[in-house]
Amino acid sequence: MEKIEYDAVVIGGGLAGLMSAHEIASAGFKVAVISKVFPTRSHSAAAEGGIAAYIPGNSDPNDNPDYMTYDTVKGGDYLVDQDAAELLSNKSGEIVMLLERWGALFNRQPDGRVAVRYFGGQTYPRTRFVGDKTGMALLHTLFERTSGLNVDFYNEWFSLDLVTDDKKVAGIVAMQMKTLTPFFFKTKAVVLATGGMGMLYRHTTNSYINTGDGFGIALRAGAALKDPEFVQFHPTALYPSDVLISEAARGEGAILKNIKGERFMTRYAPKKLDLAPRDIVSRAIITEIKEGRGFPGGYVGLDLTHLGEEYIKERLALAVEAAKSFAGVDAFTEPIPVRPAQHYYMGGIDVDIEGRNPDIVGLFSAGEAACVSVHGANRLGSNSLLDTLVFGQVTGRAVVQFLKSNSSNPTSNYEKEAEKVVDDAYKLVKSESGVHFGQILEKLRDTMWDYVGIYRDEGGLLNAMSEINKLRGMISNMYVTDKSKVYNTEFFNALELRNMLDLAFVIAKSALERKESRGAHYRTDYPDRDDNNWLKHTIAYLRGNTVEVTFKPVKITRWKPEPRVY
Ligand SMILES: Cc1cc2nc3c(=O)[nH]c(=O)nc-3n(C[C@H](O)[C@H](O)[C@H](O)COP(=O)(O)OP(=O)(O)OC[C@H]3O[C@@H](n4cnc5c(N)ncnc54)[C@H](O)[C@@H]3O)c2cc1C
């Protein structure tokens, strides 16, 4: 197998990966970015609504970074590490203005200051935006910026597994997707910035590529996931296609209505109404539907009509376009049909406030793949783009420190270990008959949606565990129809499925363990938050066919847990 050596390898060309690579390369180190799609096609490009930031002189005069931290902590139902949330808020203005200086021009108020809109759970409006293509603007800007540095891009390359030596990173094996040629990337530092995992669920707003590969890679290498049971469901995915209708719509004044025309959020969040955090609004919609006040087929209406055609066109063009193209609805004159769908993963690879994983020396993670934890049990809208940039930068800088203090190079060649990674991958797809991988995938997505979704209980989670166990057993006997060596996407889909199954198993087990309701984790058999027993992070390891669950304390600085009412 061909071998190539780098100081550091970043897996992922989204905002988090590029920001880390930018920092590492700026310090003079040689870095590779491996991405299974061209970087600007990463899911970061899909973000419409905006990025939260407190910008001094450019924010509500009553606002300050402490309010932002408080909103993030309360939004996360007190499972947030408060030192991390403080860092996020304190750095928010600086990082947004840095991206603007690099070329991402934010919308303006008439007086020239950066425009803001409300997003769910914010005491004062803090969300900054570039029309309704914020993620696209940030990603293109950062890609251009990073391309000018000493960074080698491996686009359309798929990472399989880490190679470690005595709990130290020795490298990573990746395959060129065009030719199925494997390479061993020898390196001391790997940053997993592989994004989210929406494809685990039947209904998701995520891209087809969001299959949680980084979680599978980390788990198989012996690293833990933190808070894996916390999965976010966005309240307003278009019915029936699940295309996201951004929270910006409600931020700009859109109202959720049931079949009777009632503004039902008055019952669930009397003060914040439609702009309560996502977990609360998602449960409210499901409750309306379950109690017979939804529209036939199972959805509610998102009404923009009172905002006026001009304003809607200026601020929410993508929502209008999606409603027209994918639901045949004219959003200027009728409500958009919406229902909740999986949207974001609060859980992730266990890292400290500088992106370091404590289990494997040289392993780092940032962005949606990581759990710092800054979003706790429920992420506030527009805090994720911010997280990718702030912690992408912090993590890149931590990698630089690590490289400076670890100058010796591993001597071994790790050829055997790298070969084994490739053999293991081929073993998964060697069968000529048995089960097609697509059947296992469909079953998994239904299982997760039905039993590990918005509402959970012990019986359902036990069902999910046993089903996922069965599916994990079946992948050793699955097949792909395409046997060619040229752009064999089926082969990579099958490898993604292995990652999805490993992750699903850990999510279901952790959800079963947590006997309380907090943020997005809602147990109908334990409907209350229980701070006495459960104000702690889940730390979960995959050990073959079992999941080992331990716990870590939550870092509380200034904000003591209080009831979460909106
Ligand atoms: C529709 C939508 C709208 C959103 N809107 C907003 C918003 O308005 N505001 C906000 O704050 N957040 C928003 N979010 C969330 C936010 O966009 C994401 O959480 C964030 O962009 C993730 O960035 P990332 O860099 O961590 O990962 P991503 O941008 O998802 O990038 C992951 C990278 O990893 C690579 N990768 C993955 N697996 C492998 C592998 N096996 N081998 C090689 N490469 C691999 C991919 O190629 C990709 O380059 C939205 C999300 C969605 C889905």
Side-chain angles (χ1 to χ4, degrees):
M1 186 184 316
E2 285 208 53
K3 193 175 74 185
I4 187 158
E5 199 164 334
Y6 282 95
D7 294 320
V9 175
V10 175
I11 314 296
L15 285 172
L18 293 184
M19 198 67 188
S20 301
H22 179 274
E23 294 307 300
I24 301 166
S26 299
F29 289 103
K30 196 176 163 211
V31 51
V33 172
I34 300 177
S35 173
K36 62 181 178 178
V37 295
F38 192 83
T40 51
R41 298 184 67 109
S42 304
H43 192 68
S44 290
E48 301 168 24
I51 176 166
Y54 170 80
I55 306 176
N58 234 300
S59 297
D60 189 291
N62 297 311
D63 202 8
N64 67 50
D66 285 349
Y67 277 124
M68 184 166 175
T69 306
Y70 169 72
D71 288 346
T72 302
V73 167
K74 180 179 173 190
D77 220 349
Y78 296 89
L79 197 67
V80 172
D81 278 348
Q82 298 183 4
D83 54 346
E86 287 180 75
L87 182 72
L88 187 81
S89 310
N90 291 335
K91 285 203 144 217
S92 61
E94 179 190 316
I95 204 99
V96 163
M97 294 323 285
L98 178 69
L99 266 290
E100 166 140 311
R101 268 205 308 285
W102 286 354
L105 296 179
F106 285 87
N107 274 43
R108 286 297 195 269
Q109 304 176 36
D111 65 5
R113 291 181 304 149
V114 180
V116 276
R117 59 164 60 119
Y118 265 116
F119 252 49
Q122 296 176 345
T123 306
Y124 298 104
R126 270 176 220 120
T127 300
R128 321 286 168 162
F129 48 95
V130 184
D132 50 10
K133 298 184 177 62
T134 311
M136 180 85 80
L138 295 174
L139 190 60
H140 278 259
T141 304
L142 193 50
F143 179 58
E144 263 176 35
R145 189 82 194 178
T146 313
S147 300
L149 300 173
N150 189 13
V151 178
D152 288 347
F153 284 95
Y154 291 83
N155 302 331
E156 300 189 345
W157 280 66
F158 189 95
S159 305
L160 299 176
D161 265 315
L162 277 173
V163 173
T164 54
D165 181 3
D166 191 22
K167 302 208 165 210
K168 284 198 201 93
V169 167
I172 186 148
V173 180
M175 244 182 200
Q176 185 178 27
M177 295 171 81
K178 187 159 96 182
T179 57
L180 263 60
T181 315
F183 259 56
F184 177 53
F185 290 77
K186 194 173 169 184
T187 184
K188 281 179 295 188
V190 166
V191 181
L192 290 171
T194 41
M197 54 66 147
M199 290 303 287
L200 259 76
Y201 284 85
R202 164 65 51 217
H203 299 290
T204 179
T205 64
N206 282 195
S207 313
Y208 190 65
I209 50 170
N210 286 13
T211 51
D213 298 345
F215 308 115
I217 291 172
L219 284 168
R220 286 192 298 276
L225 298 192
K226 192 192 282 157
D227 298 331
E229 62 273 36
F230 293 96
V231 179
Q232 179 163 79
F233 299 87
H234 196 294
T236 62
L238 189 63
Y239 174 88
S241 63
D242 299 321
V243 171
L244 180 73
I245 302 296
S246 169
E247 189 164 312
R250 280 170 293 134
E252 297 289 357
I255 293 169
L256 286 162
K257 290 182 176 165
N258 61 21
I259 194 167
K260 296 166 146 179
E262 291 169 335
R263 184 177 198 177
F264 57 84
M265 282 310 298
T266 51
R267 277 197 283 281
Y268 305 90
K271 282 201 193 127
K272 277 274 167 194
L273 299 165
D274 305 86
L275 278 174
R278 292 172 176 176
D279 54 332
I280 294 172
V281 184
S282 289
R283 284 194 292 272
I285 294 175
I286 296 293
T287 305
E288 289 296 304
I289 295 170
K290 269 195 183 151
E291 293 180 357
R293 295 184 295 276
F295 289 85
Y299 61 87
V300 296
L302 181 67
D303 192 357
L304 276 63
T305 54
H306 55 286
L307 298 177
E309 200 166 321
E310 275 318 300
Y311 192 73
I312 299 174
K313 270 190 196 149
E314 184 204 323
R315 294 290 177 97
L316 302 165
L318 274 183
V320 173
E321 207 180 299
K324 188 88 211 153
S325 308
F326 297 101
V329 164
D330 176 3
F332 299 127
T333 58
E334 51 190 329
I336 303 176
V338 293
R339 64 152 173 229
Q342 190 285 346
H343 181 62
Y344 182 81
Y345 194 35
M346 275 78 67
I349 298 162
D350 180 26
V351 293
D352 65 16
I353 196 169
E354 294 190 306
R356 263 182 242 104
N357 170 264
D359 304 303
I360 299 174
V361 177
L363 180 62
F364 297 80
S365 180
E368 194 169 337
C371 180
V372 173
S373 132
V374 89
H375 308 299
N378 171 67
R379 170 174 75 84
L380 290 189
S382 73
N383 265 1
S384 173
L385 290 180
L386 180 62
D387 165 12
T388 63
L389 295 176
V390 168
F391 287 96
Q393 187 182 60
V394 166
T395 304
R397 289 176 183 174
V399 171
V400 169
Q401 287 314 314
F402 172 78
L403 293 173
K404 283 184 177 162
S405 57
N406 281 269
S407 52
S408 68
N409 278 320
T411 45
S412 167
N413 277 321
Y414 302 101
E415 259 153 38
K416 259 202 234 126
E417 291 84 350
E419 293 293 349
K420 184 171 179 309
V421 167
V422 177
D423 287 349
D424 286 351
Y426 271 105
K427 261 188 219 152
L428 288 176
V429 292
K430 70 174 190 320
S431 291
E432 294 291 330
S433 59
V435 201
H436 186 260
F437 84 91
Q439 274 173 284
I440 304 178
L441 176 63
E442 293 306 305
K443 188 77 200 161
L444 173 67
R445 298 185 68 195
D446 284 337
T447 302
M448 291 303 283
W449 183 255
D450 291 342
Y451 300 121
V452 201
I454 298 173
Y455 286 105
R456 305 163 172 187
D457 63 30
E458 181 170 300
L461 290 167
L462 285 170
N463 253 341
M465 291 283 296
S466 100
E467 190 59 45
I468 296 164
N469 227 340
K470 247 193 279 167
L471 299 176
R472 285 183 87 221
M474 282 159 81
I475 65 167
S476 51
N477 189 32
M478 70 180 177
Y479 71 94
V480 296
T481 10
D482 187 352
K483 303 287 180 194
S484 81
K485 291 236 168 197
V486 181
Y487 270 123
N488 188 338
T489 48
E490 242 191 311
F491 175 81
F492 292 105
N493 289 159
L495 297 185
E496 288 170 343
L497 176 60
R498 171 178 60 168
N499 293 326
M500 292 161 79
L501 281 165
D502 285 348
L503 174 61
F505 195 48
V506 172
I507 295 177
K509 172 68 179 172
S510 307
L512 181 65
E513 287 291 308
R514 187 174 283 272
K515 294 180 176 52
E516 66 156 353
S517 292
R518 183 184 296 272
H521 172 70
Y522 195 89
R523 291 276 306 247
T524 52
D525 43 356
Y526 300 95
D528 298 320
R529 194 176 85 192
D530 174 3
D531 287 336
N532 288 333
N533 295 302
W534 289 102
L535 184 55
K536 55 188 178 186
H537 295 296
T538 303
I539 301 293
Y541 295 90
L542 183 64
R543 310 271 191 225
N545 285 327
T546 55
V547 179
E548 182 191 313
V549 173
T550 60
F551 301 96
K552 251 190 205 170
V554 174
K555 289 199 192 98
I556 294 178
T557 56
R558 282 189 280 167
W559 294 273
K560 302 281 169 268
E562 50 185 52
R564 185 169 170 256
V565 278
Y566 284 97

